[in-house]
Amino acid sequence: LDFGQVLDERSSAWSRLLAEVEITTSIETVSRVVRLSPDDPAVFEHPFAVLVGDSALSDVSDSAVEQLRRYITYGGFLLIDDATGAQRSDFDDSVRRLLARLFPTRQLAPLPSDHSLYRALFLIGSPKGRLDSHRWLEGVDFGNTTRIVYCRNDLSGALARARDGRDLMQVEPGGASQRREAVKLGINLVVYALTSN
């Protein structure tokens, strides 16, 4: 989803993830990644949406909030990826404000270690991305499913590749093994989004 954040260097992350999903599972994907604003009706054509950012979100219109609320309520899945990995950031503050507008009666809360997302395909001990600074994912539950997941370890930074196939960003502190864990997390997110619990 495009909320005015332009992080082009991370856009390749999602094509890579779709390719990894096809290689690892029996799920067929369309490796075309599209950028849509939250008020674009085409959002309903995509079961998995991603919001990546490293700075405060621009003002979100009431109509965009309403459509995004319907998208999630009707079964869409939203992954939010904080590219800063910081303990506190303008992006994090604005995400929390947006979620409070979307679902004022539903809390964003840490996902328990036995959440089915952590074992949707691979067993995940902790969610790793380009960084390993936050020990849990956060989410918003709808009944017995989590339809919004918030990762604060820059998952897209770990997955992003250059045109020649080389990884774009260093992964710290765990290097290649941490990057592989990030790929597993990404695959689990897609599998969970499509199969729920």
Side-chain angles (χ1 to χ4, degrees):
L1 292 176
D2 186 352
F3 281 80
Q5 300 280 319
V6 180
L7 297 173
D8 288 334
E9 71 277 7
R10 285 176 168 77
S11 61
S12 64
W14 311 111
S15 297
R16 176 187 185 174
L17 179 58
L18 292 172
E20 294 280 358
V21 166
E22 282 226 350
I23 291 167
T24 309
T25 72
S26 60
I27 298 170
E28 293 181 20
T29 68
V30 176
S31 61
R32 181 178 50 93
V33 175
V34 295
R35 179 177 282 161
L36 300 170
S37 67
D39 55 359
D40 187 329
V43 74
F44 292 99
E45 299 171 16
H46 306 278
F48 190 95
V50 180
L51 167 60
V52 181
D54 64 356
S55 59
L57 300 175
S58 57
D59 291 334
V60 182
S61 69
D62 290 342
S63 63
V65 168
E66 180 54 35
Q67 179 160 287
L68 192 52
R69 182 183 298 122
R70 282 197 321 272
Y71 170 76
I72 294 164
T73 303
Y74 295 170
F77 182 88
L78 175 61
L79 169 63
I80 304 170
D81 188 29
D82 183 347
T84 70
Q87 292 300 317
R88 184 79 189 264
S89 69
D90 291 340
F91 178 75
D92 180 59
D93 291 342
S94 63
V95 161
R96 293 179 190 281
R97 284 192 302 272
L98 173 64
L99 293 178
R101 283 179 69 194
L102 279 169
F103 299 104
T105 61
R106 297 182 186 272
Q107 290 288 335
L108 179 67
L111 300 184
S113 59
D114 64 347
H115 193 285
S116 55
L117 189 153
Y118 293 123
R119 56 183 192 275
L121 185 64
F122 297 104
L123 290 176
I124 305 280
S126 66
K128 296 178 177 17
R130 179 181 60 85
L131 303 169
D132 186 15
S133 49
H134 298 276
R135 295 291 175 197
W136 57 80
L137 297 171
E138 293 177 84
V140 179
D141 291 339
F142 296 80
N144 63 352
T145 63
T146 304
R147 305 308 303 164
I148 301 172
V149 173
Y150 185 21
C151 177
R152 300 187 61 203
N153 283 328
D154 190 14
L155 179 61
S156 56
L159 300 175
R161 282 188 169 160
R163 289 181 189 264
D164 63 6
R166 288 181 299 132
D167 294 314
L168 266 181
M169 299 174 193
Q170 281 194 311
V171 172
E172 300 171 355
S177 63
Q178 182 175 318
R179 191 181 310 275
R180 185 64 200 149
E181 290 302 305
V183 170
K184 290 178 182 178
L185 173 61
I187 293 170
N188 272 25
L189 283 161
V190 172
V191 170
Y192 178 81
L194 297 177
T195 63
S196 295
N197 60 2

